[in-house]
């Protein structure tokens, strides 16, 4: 390996076991990620996978004493930018394997969810990156150079698995600094992903969900924030047989109630909430203003510190109780921890600075694989059912998210909502990531840097 450090050797041995247990090599081969000569794709993938735990770049690794037994720089960069490698097929196949294993560890009554969100994939210092665009960061309210990383994850309330993603450029040509490389073969999966990059975000969101369903990855609900919770996407998802739970904010959008079209604040007055009540104030059943008039339930949650402020959560499953809607929506914050971890620990968008769109897709898949295997190791550390059949029969499921925790996280939104954002406060997100980090096996914590200073 890259180092003789005992903690790292333990890590590399444990990860090699995880690679074998989760059949990573087979998933690579099935996705067409193979080579005829030289180092195998699995060997190169493993070496790149372990780089972040060694706290060095590939350039630094090539300057080390082990450089003579490592692949050359050209081998690595050529591997990352092959347009015929189907990285989506690999990630979906690996995710299906992991989620199936997680589902066997939990009760059939346990709820699983898809979580949809996006985050900025920053390349501010770049100029000639393929499909580089001017994208809006809804956290800082500024435009940056880069991409919008639309991600779909799966969660059972304890483990989060990123199952699919798309690096979106801009649908407007005037916002794109570079266009698609004209030399790319239009028959390749790489070219198809380039076409995805200029699709509208809601359309791509529906495609990601369909990809997972086609692969056999299933969930009960799709959780979304205010940007995605709009009637067209809601109806597109419900047509696939899934329920939607998402936060909605006061806009021009109206809902049909007793043959009247009312805005959110008008519905809030109809509910006549008891402002002395803590947490959930009440709910109302309405219909979306569409041709199909989909029936939805809207739950109002009060800000404990300011009675005039409230949040609204929409659910297409009208049979759920108000408290259960809030509890399930609380599972959405797993993806916030995921984004923070991949950027601050796993070097998303920082480890390699290639200009090819294929290289960004391949490296992002590598980072998501790192997170998936860390979740697998964390589950093995925390869940007694993974030890053996005797423990499986006698132990209860790992703890699911409870209502009080979900409500507390939801109330953290009020401060950021007043600033026009819909994300957890830095303190809450730091606490979540710290809890996730501390639940990892000790040999991983010894090899993984933990810095909240990086975005």
């Amino acid at each position: 390996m890259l180092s003789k450090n005992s903690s790292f050797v333990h890590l590399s041995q444990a990860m090699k076991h995880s690679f074998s247990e989760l059949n990573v090599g087979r998933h690579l081969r099935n996705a067409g990620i193979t080579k005829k000569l030289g180092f195998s794709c699995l060997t190169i993938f493993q070496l790149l996978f372990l780089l972040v735990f060694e706290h060095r770049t590939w350039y630094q690794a090539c300057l080390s004493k082990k450089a003579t037994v490592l692949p050359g720089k050209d081998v690595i960069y050529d591997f990352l930018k092959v347009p015929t490698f189907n990285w989506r097929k690999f990630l979906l196949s690996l995710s299906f394997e992991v989620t199936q294993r997680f589902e066997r560890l939990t009760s059939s009554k346990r709820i699983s969810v898809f979580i949809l969100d996006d985050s900025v994939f920053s390349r501010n210092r770049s100029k000639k990156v393929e499909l580089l665009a001017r994208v809006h960061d809804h956290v800082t309210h500024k435009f940056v150079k880069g991409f919008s990383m639309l991600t779909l994850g799966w969660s059972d309330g304890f483990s989060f698995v990123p199952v699919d993603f798309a690096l979106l450029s801009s649908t407007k040509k005037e916002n794109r600094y570079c266009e698609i490389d004209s030399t790319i073969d239009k028959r390749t999966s790489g070219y198809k992903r380039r076409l995805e990059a200029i699709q509208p975000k809601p359309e791509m969101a529906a495609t990601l969900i369909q990809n997972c369903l086609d692969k056999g990855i299933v969930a009960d609900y799709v959780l979304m924030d205010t940007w995605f919770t709009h009637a067209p996407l809601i109806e597109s998802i419900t047509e696939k047989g899934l329920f939607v739970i998402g936060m909605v904010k006061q806009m021009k959008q109206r809902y049909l109630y007793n043959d009247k079209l009312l805005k959110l604040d008008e519905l809030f007055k109809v509910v006549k909430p008891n402002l002395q009540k803590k947490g959930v104030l009440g709910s109302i059943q309405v219909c979306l203003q569409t041709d199909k008039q989909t029936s939805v339930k809207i739950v109002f949650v009060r800000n404990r510190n300011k009675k005039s402020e409230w949040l609204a959560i929409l659910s297409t499953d009208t049979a759920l109780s108000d408290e259960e809607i809030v509890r399930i929506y609380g599972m959405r914050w797993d993806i916030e921890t995921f984004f923070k971890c991949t950027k601050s620990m796993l070097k998303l968008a920082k480890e390699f600075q290639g200009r090819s769109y294929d290289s960004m897709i391949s490296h992002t898949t590598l980072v998501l694989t790192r997170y998936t295997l860390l979740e697998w190791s964390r589950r093995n550390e925390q869940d007694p059912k993974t030890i053996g059949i005797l423990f499986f029969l006698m132990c209860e499921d790992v703890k699911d998210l409870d209502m009080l925790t979900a409500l507390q996280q939801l109330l953290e939104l009020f401060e950021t909502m007043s600033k026009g954002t819909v994300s957890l406060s830095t303190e809450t997100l730091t606490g979540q990531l710290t809890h996730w980090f501390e639940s990892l096996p000790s040999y991983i914590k010894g090899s993984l840097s933990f810095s909240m200073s990086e975005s």
Side-chain angles (χ1 to χ4, degrees):
M1 286 299 154
L2 301 178
S3 173
K4 293 183 179 180
N5 177 274
S6 58
S7 176
F8 183 74
V9 170
H10 188 184
L11 171 75
S12 61
Q13 291 173 345
M15 285 302 174
K16 183 178 291 186
H17 175 72
S18 295
F19 266 63
S20 175
E21 189 175 16
L22 297 176
N23 301 305
V24 173
R26 175 167 60 82
H27 296 311
L28 286 170
R29 290 192 299 274
N30 290 343
I33 305 173
T34 58
K35 290 172 78 243
K36 294 182 179 179
L37 300 173
F39 290 88
S40 70
C41 285
L42 178 59
T43 299
I44 296 173
F45 190 82
Q46 287 177 325
L47 290 171
L48 292 175
F49 181 95
L50 292 169
L51 269 181
V52 70
F53 303 103
E54 182 70 350
H55 310 301
R56 64 173 68 185
T57 63
W58 189 257
Y59 174 77
Q60 292 169 332
C62 289
L63 295 178
S64 68
K65 295 179 181 179
K66 296 286 185 179
T68 55
V69 296
L70 293 176
K73 179 181 176 182
D74 290 343
V75 174
I76 297 300
Y77 281 92
D78 288 344
F79 171 79
L80 290 174
K81 64 183 182 181
V82 177
T84 56
F85 288 174
N86 196 335
W87 289 105
R88 167 164 288 137
K89 186 175 181 180
F90 163 75
L91 184 61
L92 284 170
S93 181
L94 176 63
S95 300
F96 175 74
E97 172 116 21
V98 175
T99 55
Q100 287 290 100
R101 290 172 181 264
F102 284 159
E103 286 182 338
R104 288 198 290 267
L105 297 174
T106 55
S107 165
S108 59
K109 297 180 180 179
R110 190 174 181 127
I111 289 173
S112 60
V113 297
F114 286 133
I115 308 173
L116 183 68
D117 203 359
D118 65 328
S119 182
V120 171
F121 186 99
S122 178
R123 291 295 298 265
N124 261 333
R125 299 177 63 184
S126 302
K127 296 180 180 179
K128 298 295 183 180
V129 174
E130 193 175 1
L131 287 173
L132 183 70
R134 183 172 176 263
V135 295
H136 185 257
D137 186 345
H138 56 76
V139 176
T140 62
H141 298 288
K142 296 179 180 178
F143 282 92
V144 299
K145 288 199 294 185
F147 302 85
S148 179
M149 180 178 165
L150 181 62
T151 305
L152 184 69
W154 177 97
S155 175
D156 63 356
F158 184 86
S159 299
F160 176 86
V161 180
V163 293
D164 201 1
F165 74 95
L167 285 183
L168 301 180
S169 182
S170 175
T171 56
K172 299 179 180 179
K173 188 173 182 179
E174 58 268 24
N175 286 340
R176 298 197 294 266
Y177 297 99
C178 301
E179 295 299 323
I180 297 175
D181 184 354
S182 59
T183 63
I184 296 296
D185 189 334
K186 293 180 172 58
R187 298 169 295 178
T188 62
S189 58
Y191 181 77
K192 294 175 183 177
R193 296 199 76 150
R194 286 165 168 82
L195 295 181
E196 290 178 356
I198 55 178
Q199 287 185 7
K201 196 178 295 184
E203 182 179 325
M204 195 61 227
T207 301
L208 294 184
I209 294 172
Q210 189 61 53
N211 288 342
C212 292
L213 295 177
D214 291 344
K215 183 60 184 177
I217 304 172
V218 295
D220 303 297
Y221 297 90
V222 178
L223 309 184
M224 309 183 294
D225 65 10
T226 57
W227 200 96
F228 296 96
T229 313
H230 295 285
L233 183 56
I234 291 173
E235 290 204 339
S236 175
I237 294 173
T238 55
E239 287 174 357
K240 302 178 191 299
L242 297 169
F243 291 112
V244 173
I245 298 180
M247 186 173 289
V248 287
K249 60 182 179 180
Q250 299 188 57
M251 300 177 66
K252 294 181 180 180
Q253 184 175 351
R254 287 173 167 77
Y255 305 87
L256 185 63
Y257 176 75
N258 287 346
D259 296 326
K260 295 180 181 179
L261 292 175
L262 303 177
K263 294 189 294 185
L264 268 183
D265 54 348
E266 294 171 330
L267 291 175
F268 183 71
K269 294 176 182 178
V270 172
V271 173
K272 296 180 180 179
N274 179 7
L275 295 181
Q276 301 303 317
K277 187 178 178 181
K278 294 183 179 180
V280 180
L281 292 173
S283 63
I284 188 170
Q285 190 164 324
V286 297
C287 292
L288 296 178
Q289 190 184 358
T290 60
D291 294 337
K292 296 184 179 180
Q293 294 188 356
T294 304
S295 181
V296 299
K297 186 177 186 180
I298 298 179
V299 179
F300 295 95
V301 182
R302 182 176 69 88
N303 183 354
R304 295 177 181 176
N305 300 319
K306 193 173 181 180
K307 295 181 180 180
S308 62
E309 292 183 355
W310 46 267
L311 295 175
I313 303 175
L314 177 150
S315 171
T316 58
D317 187 355
T318 57
L320 286 178
S321 66
D322 298 351
E323 290 74 16
E324 185 66 0
I325 290 173
V326 172
R327 189 193 72 80
I328 295 174
Y329 186 73
M331 297 167 70
R332 199 196 77 82
W333 310 126
D334 287 348
I335 202 168
E336 302 283 359
T337 305
F338 159 77
F339 282 133
K340 188 64 179 179
C341 173
T342 53
K343 291 181 180 181
S344 62
M345 294 185 192
L346 304 182
K347 306 301 180 184
L348 179 68
K350 299 174 184 176
E351 194 169 26
F352 289 93
Q353 295 292 310
R355 295 181 178 182
S356 166
Y357 188 78
D358 293 306
S359 66
M360 291 183 291
I361 291 292
S362 58
H363 182 254
T364 303
T365 305
L366 174 69
V367 171
L368 269 55
T369 304
R370 286 172 179 163
Y371 190 90
T372 299
L373 265 67
L374 288 178
E375 279 287 73
W376 174 248
S377 299
R378 188 172 77 100
R379 189 62 171 258
N380 286 331
E381 179 84 356
Q382 299 292 318
D383 194 345
K385 286 190 174 184
T386 60
I387 297 175
I389 187 64
L390 178 62
F391 285 86
F392 186 88
L393 294 174
M394 298 183 65
C395 293
E396 296 181 356
D397 289 354
V398 288
K399 185 178 178 182
D400 199 356
L401 183 72
D402 59 83
M403 167 61 183
L404 291 178
T405 302
L407 185 59
Q408 182 60 42
Q409 292 176 349
L410 191 61
L411 293 176
E412 291 284 346
L413 282 176
F414 284 105
E415 181 180 352
T416 52
M417 282 285 285
S418 63
K419 301 175 183 177
T421 63
V422 185
S423 59
L424 290 178
S425 66
T426 303
E427 293 77 13
T428 302
L429 190 53
T430 302
Q432 283 190 324
L433 186 53
T434 301
H435 174 74
W436 180 86
F437 182 79
E438 290 301 322
S439 62
L440 289 171
S442 57
Y443 62 87
I444 292 179
K445 289 187 286 187
S447 299
L448 190 64
S449 61
F450 179 26
S451 171
M452 289 301 298
S453 61
E454 298 180 60
S455 58

